[in-house]
Amino acid sequence: MTSLFALWAGTLLALGGPVTELTITPMASQTSVLISIEGEVRYRDFQMEGPHRLVVDLIGATHALPQDDFAAVNRGGILSMRTSQYSEDVVRVVLVLDRPLGYSVIPDSRGLRISLENPTGDFEPWSSGSTTPYTESVELPAPSAPQVQEARRISVTWTEAPINDVLLAFAAFSGRSIVPGSNVTGFVTADINDQPWDIALETILAGQGLVAEELPSGIIRVDNITDLNDREAVEPIETRAHRVSYATAAELQAMVQPLLTERGNVSTGQGTNTLIVSDIRRVQEQIEDLLAGVDVQTPQVTIQAKIIFVNRTELDELGVTYELKDSRGNQFNQLSSGFADTDGDGTAEVVAQGTSVVALGGNSIAALGNATQRVAAPSLQLLTSLVMGRHQLIGFIDALESVQLSDIEATPQVTVLDNQLADFLVGELTPIRTIDAGAGAAGGQGGFPTAQVEQQETGIILQATPHVTPDGYILLEVLAERSAAELAESDAGFIFRTQRVETRVLVEDGETVVMGGLTQSERTESLAGIPLLKDLPIIGALFRTRRQQEIQRDLIILVTPHIVRSGLAN
């Protein structure tokens, strides 16, 4: 009977096979890379730049290689290789290339085969599974180019040997022409054990204060550093135009400047986007090497953002106000117009609202209750009137309940180069006027005030700077801000209510960053009324005005970066 453990293990194996070996072999004008896999898996592949890489993801596989990194492969255009268990069911294989190469991916009975253009010619086969050269059971073509490999290894010991004799020994061993300068002197004591001869020579020369330079003819010239500097001081100046493809010449000018000699000069050609350099040949070659590593195509990142701002305001007001008028005496007329004999002709005339009538003679009384605390723009008004002889009692009941809701949504999208800033603004420019009283004329008197207007950005501001990592992640620097201008209670002008967050986060391609919690709640409550009466239980509500206001502002920002890849397959 099959055990449950065996069934469980068999299910896991069916989900994907292990990646067991990587091999590199020359095949005609191509470089063949075989990824050995036990079982069937799906795959996806794409290229990246800075440096040039070919990435293959094996979906449904597990990592079973002896190590993750394979440095110094240096075969068939492949500098090194990296592998990892990228996720639970994905094994990622990264080939670091010395230049962009055409390629194809073909399923093989033993796994997956990658065929690359071979820019270097024939080379020794390589395998991740053993230290001995690996040979596939295929017919290799005859070598068509010199073999690319490290220099021959040398083992030798010198004790107080003249430097010229040491140089002759290196020349005989390597088969190269080595010419020392007139001031190359000294003695060498060294023990070299199985090291590449070019590295051993460079190390010995550095210890003697000497430097080697390979001429275009292939001859290696050895000079004292001081003599080299003196020779460069009289070496002819060359002027070359270095074409810049992916950056701007103005950006790279500052990087090139430190490489120049005292006689060197660099300028930019704006129309052709070139660096025009005048200097000796060594500097020109250094600048070419620098531009080859700096002026490369960088990935682009599409940043999609969704900005949601919700502003909710609830207002609740209820107030009772009174006015007592005397038709033959005092009237305040704050809540309504009145009637009074103001000219003494025995006929009452209309007295406009807000115009008080004060009669100091005779017996008369007028009163106001909570008149200045009325509800503004009420949605419900009740008016009562009670006539008592020559007195009239007028009462107003005002009520208001309102809810205001504003919802602002914006979905900007922009594509930006790696390491460049993407800036979003969903808002407006608020003019702010400032007044300068002025210092006046000499003596500090008699100045005229001057007004200036400045523009302040308000609204929703989002700034994002992406950084693409070598393993396909995105390091995202994000700054989000929401601001609004409000008139200050004093004469200071404006105040700016601001919600702001700044973060730096590492995300996968296509993963969404959510910035929430930027919620601001504000609640105010006020009571105003007739002293003593407004505080009475139950009936106190008839002698006061109550105002309640609650404001809630919510800001949510979602940012999703996508790497723009070319040549994406499968």
Side-chain angles (χ1 to χ4, degrees), residues 23 32 36 50 88 119 236 260 307 309 327 423 435 452 567:
T23 58
S32 175
S36 299
E88 184 177 359
L260 302 180
I307 304 170
F309 176 68
S327 60
D423 195 349
I435 299 178
Q452 296 180 347

Side-chain angles (χ1 to χ4, degrees), residues 23-71:
T23 58
I24 304 176
T25 55
M27 297 183 64
S29 61
Q30 293 185 330
T31 299
S32 175
V33 180
L34 177 62
I35 305 176
S36 299
I37 310 169
E38 296 180 8
E40 294 184 359
V41 296
R42 294 179 292 113
Y43 70 94
R44 59 172 176 257
D45 59 275
F46 54 90
Q47 285 185 306
M48 301 183 68
E49 307 221 7
H52 304 291
R53 286 158 291 165
L54 172 60
V55 181
V56 179
D57 286 341
L58 306 172
I59 305 172
T62 56
H63 190 282
L65 294 166
Q67 61 190 67
D68 292 337
D69 294 338
F70 302 93

